[in-house]
Each structure stands twice: as C-alpha cells, then as structure tokens.
Amino acid sequence: MNEDFLHYIWKYKKFQITQLKTTQGLPVIISSVGTHNFNSGPDFFNAKLKIDEQVWAGNVEVHVKSSDWYVHNHEQDPVYDNVILHVVWEHDTDIYRKDNTCIPTLELRSYVTSEMINKYQALFSKQKHWIKCENDFSSVDDFILENWLERLFFERLERKSKTITQLLEASKNDWEAVLFQMLAKNFGLKVNGEAFMSLGQSVDFSVVRKTLSNQNTLEALLFGQAGLLENQVEDAYHVSLVREYQFLKQKFNLENQHVLPVQFFRLRPLNFPTIRLSQLASLYHKHQNLFSKVMASSSLNEFYDIFLVETSDYWKSHYTFQKTSHSSAKALSRGFINLLLINTILPIKFLYAKHCGDENASKIMVMAHQIPSEHNSVIKAFNNLKRVSKSALDSQALIQLKTAYCDKHLCLKCAVGHQLLSK
C-alpha cells in the first residue's frame, strides 16, 4: 500500500461513501473531497465534510499509517493546523492539534473492496513488463484513449515550448532567430542536434539575414561557424568558402569557440553535417521571409512546398570536400520534413498563437493529424499492444505517455490506469 493509491481512492471516491465513521465512531458525510494539492502542504485543499452534527471546511491529509503524521513532522508545521480530517489506511495512533483536540481520522481499509485492492496489486505487480498495463492495454476503451492522447499531445507541446521560451528570452523575443536555432538543431538530428544548435546560437540572426541573398555566402557562414573550413583543402569551392568566411568573420566579429564539433561517425551520408548545412542554407536562401511563411501556412502540402529544397550544386556530387560521388539531387525527404514539422514548426506555431492571444489549438490538432505517425521502438511497441498510432498527434502523445507516465509508474495519474482500476 502506498500514499499515491490512497490519494487516488480518496480523490475519485473509490470506496464505500455511505455510513462512514471516524475511528472514534462519529458519522462522516462527504460533500467535497477537496482539490488535490501536488505541492508541499496538506494533500487536499478546501474539502467540505459533515462530522457528527458539525459542518467543516478545510484540508485533508492522507497517510498509510496515522503515525506517519509524526514521521513527516507535521506536528511542527503550522500549514497542517487546519486539517479537518486525517485519512489513513491503518489507524495506529491518535493525532492531536495544538489545542489538544483530536483530529478526526477515517480508516479507509474498512471501506475499500477487495476487488479494488486486487486490481491495484495486479496493475503494480513486480513482474517485469515494458509497461505495467501491457497485458490489459488493448482492452482500454477507444474513446477514453483518444481523448487521453489528445491531452498528452498538448502536454508534450507544452514541454517543448519551454525550450523555445528560454530561447525567446535569450534573444529578446526574436521569433525569427528562434525559428532558425530550432531548425538548425533539428537539421542536425540526434547526432549533431546540439552542435547545430550551438552553431545557430553562435551568430546573431541579423548576420544570417544579411547573407540570405547569396547562398554561397550563407554556406560560408554556416560551414565556417561549424569549424568545417579549418583544414587546408585543395578544392576551389572550399577555397572560396574560406575566403568568404574570413571576410564575414572580420566584418561581423564572429567567433565559434563555443560551437560544439560536428560528427560524421556512424551517420548515413545523406545525414552528413555538410549535406544538412547546405540544405539549411538553401532553405533560407529560397525563403528569405521564412518565419512569416511558416506562420501563414496550415496545410501539410503548403509545408512540403516550403521545405522542398536541395543542396547547392557542389554537394550534388559530394558528401565531403574533395571526394566526388555519383551526382544526385539531395533534397529533403518527406520523412525528414515531417520530423521538422513535429519538432520545430508545431511547437513554435503553438507558442506563437498563444503569444498572439489565440488559445484555440484546433488548427494545431488538425495539422498534427495530417502528419503521418512516427516510426520508432516506442510506437512499434504500443502498436503491438493495440493499433493506436495513426498520426503524428498519436505518436507524440504515446512518447509522452511512455516517458512521463509509464517509465515513472504514474499509472494512477493516467487515464488508462484509471479505466483499468474502474472496470
């Protein structure tokens, strides 16, 4: 038995709520269990109860044993002075207020069915599972699951928005600069994401803006800041980039000592930093008002049109400097664009809409439903339990479910866990 389960039982009244009596035999009638408090202080605020003939309004504290009151030193904390009911699983001692009156205690184990206990024990069994409810996940009602996934999707958006908010504060609310930094990070994917982000933060976006009209100049800026122009290479293109970067470095007083080194190791050639940086340069050269276009677009096809860019000509026949390869148009794939939409565009559009006072998130939902589901080990595992991930909204929600709930065993705060315990 643990306190989280007792919180769940009390909060959702998963016990016999009639003919309740305190440990002293006084009748208890519950008008309101109160508001669950997730911070320090009593567990439930503003409960309303009738104990014997007296109506009470105040707080409720929940423990496994009554004596836990003293284990947690509540008798020394004045915020617990207005507790009107002590809810416990096992009553092993009376608790007194400062005026020596006894705090009424309700012993829950007398009012919880064995069926509820068995369901709880089954859900939290010590057997090793990928997720606690994997044997029962397929039985969860589709309507409940769909609504829960929508909520989880926005939880994940809020989590991603925190990073964007921090970038906005650092850039004095320069939305264009933040879009550039976030796109740079996600062009780098997992291996070079942090390195590309450090690159994006190493140069003021006003400098980027001044180079957009010339793709060679923009590539020189990005390659130079990434440290890819430091070796001597007998290649005309490389020489031109070095010359251009030296000019930019002196003109704008650039430095890149804090830019993390990019990696080539274990990457497919199409994900080499040289290719991704050239594609990023092509994107900004093609759309010199990219932020405005992104904010004005809402359909998947519009975004596919925006992000349909290739490398510059040199990189069509190269993956690294000097060594030539078979010539091919190295354009952003739809799968890659989908990742950019999921990890950059949706979070920024979500936060920008809130910034502009638009709290209606329906457009974000519609767009997330248009984007195909991601394919990774987490999504595959959930789909093996129940075919549930049909779009990016679902896959993002399932990642949030796994990382924020399943991995932390927060089944009692999950709609899936609630339903399994309520059946």
Side-chain angles (χ1 to χ4, degrees), residues 137-179:
F137 187 81
S138 61
S139 68
V140 177
D141 182 80
D142 289 343
F143 179 78
I144 290 176
L145 190 55
E146 287 173 8
N147 280 278
W148 179 228
L149 290 180
E150 285 185 5
R151 177 177 164 184
L152 289 170
F153 170 71
F154 284 106
E155 276 190 20
R156 188 157 179 82
L157 272 184
E158 291 284 1
R159 185 186 69 79
K160 290 183 176 182
S161 295
K162 291 181 181 178
T163 299
I164 298 171
T165 300
Q166 292 170 354
L167 294 175
L168 284 169
E169 290 174 354
S171 66
K172 298 180 181 178
N173 285 328
D174 189 337
W175 287 90
E176 288 186 297
V178 171
L179 175 62

Side-chain angles (χ1 to χ4, degrees), residues 7 12 15 37 92 94 96 119 138 141 147 151 157 162 177 197 203 207 223 293 300 323 329 338 367 391 401:
H7 291 165
Y12 296 102
F15 56 95
N37 171 36
D92 59 350
D94 288 331
Y96 291 89
K119 287 180 179 178
S138 61
D141 182 80
N147 280 278
R151 177 177 164 184
L157 272 184
K162 291 181 181 178
M197 170 66 91
V203 56
V207 177
F223 279 75
K293 287 187 177 181
L300 196 55
K323 189 175 182 180
N338 290 337
M367 187 174 162
S391 68
L401 175 60

Side-chain angles (χ1 to χ4, degrees), residues 131-382:
I131 57 174
K132 291 287 187 181
C133 65
E134 68 178 63
N135 292 332
D136 302 299
F137 187 81
S138 61
S139 68
V140 177
D141 182 80
D142 289 343
F143 179 78
I144 290 176
L145 190 55
E146 287 173 8
N147 280 278
W148 179 228
L149 290 180
E150 285 185 5
R151 177 177 164 184
L152 289 170
F153 170 71
F154 284 106
E155 276 190 20
R156 188 157 179 82
L157 272 184
E158 291 284 1
R159 185 186 69 79
K160 290 183 176 182
S161 295
K162 291 181 181 178
T163 299
I164 298 171
T165 300
Q166 292 170 354
L167 294 175
L168 284 169
E169 290 174 354
S171 66
K172 298 180 181 178
N173 285 328
D174 189 337
W175 287 90
E176 288 186 297
V178 171
L179 175 62
F180 175 71
Q181 292 165 10
M182 290 296 296
L183 281 173
K185 179 180 187 299
N186 288 299
F187 263 77
L189 299 172
K190 287 185 178 180
V191 173
N192 285 310
E194 293 306 316
F196 277 28
M197 170 66 91
S198 66
L199 185 162
Q201 294 176 308
S202 71
V203 56
D204 193 278
F205 188 72
S206 62
V207 177
V208 177
R209 190 181 289 112
K210 291 172 183 177
T211 65
L212 297 182
S213 60
N214 187 311
Q215 185 163 346
N216 193 70
T217 302
L218 181 52
E219 286 194 7
L221 175 66
L222 298 181
F223 279 75
Q225 287 299 102
L228 292 170
L229 303 178
E230 295 174 0
N231 296 327
Q232 287 189 346
V233 177
E234 293 182 5
D235 179 281
Y237 170 70
H238 185 275
V239 170
S240 71
L241 291 184
V242 171
R243 184 169 56 248
E244 187 68 38
Y245 179 63
Q246 291 302 324
F247 172 75
L248 294 172
K249 189 174 182 180
Q250 185 174 11
K251 180 178 180 180
F252 297 112
N253 195 27
L254 301 175
E255 60 89 14
N256 65 350
Q257 63 184 28
H258 297 298
V259 176
L260 300 174
V262 296
Q263 303 294 326
F264 287 80
F265 184 58
R266 289 182 178 174
L267 284 175
R268 294 179 178 180
L270 282 175
N271 286 328
F272 278 4
T274 46
I275 303 303
R276 293 307 184 193
L277 286 177
S278 180
Q279 290 168 336
L280 181 61
S282 294
L283 175 65
Y284 271 89
H285 173 64
K286 180 180 178 181
H287 303 289
Q288 298 181 23
N289 55 344
L290 183 61
F291 180 78
S292 298
K293 287 187 177 181
V294 164
M295 291 304 110
S297 301
S298 58
S299 74
L300 196 55
N301 286 333
E302 285 179 295
F303 284 106
Y304 286 157
D305 288 341
I306 291 173
F307 286 96
L308 186 59
V309 295
E310 301 176 355
T311 63
S312 58
D313 289 340
Y314 178 88
W315 295 107
K316 290 178 181 179
S317 58
H318 293 77
Y319 288 102
T320 58
F321 289 109
Q322 285 188 305
K323 189 175 182 180
T324 60
S325 63
H326 176 72
S327 182
S328 62
K330 298 179 178 69
L332 295 181
S333 67
R334 287 204 169 187
F336 189 84
I337 295 172
N338 290 337
L339 291 177
L340 295 178
L341 294 175
I342 291 168
N343 295 312
T344 300
I345 304 305
L346 286 182
I348 285 185
K349 283 180 73 70
F350 172 72
L351 193 59
Y352 188 70
K354 291 177 67 175
H355 171 77
C356 295
D358 182 5
E359 298 292 336
N360 185 357
S362 60
K363 292 180 181 179
I364 299 294
M365 285 182 56
V366 169
M367 187 174 162
H369 275 302
Q370 292 176 349
I371 303 170
S373 170
E374 297 158 270
H375 298 285
N376 54 48
S377 60
V378 171
I379 306 308
K380 182 179 179 181
F382 271 116

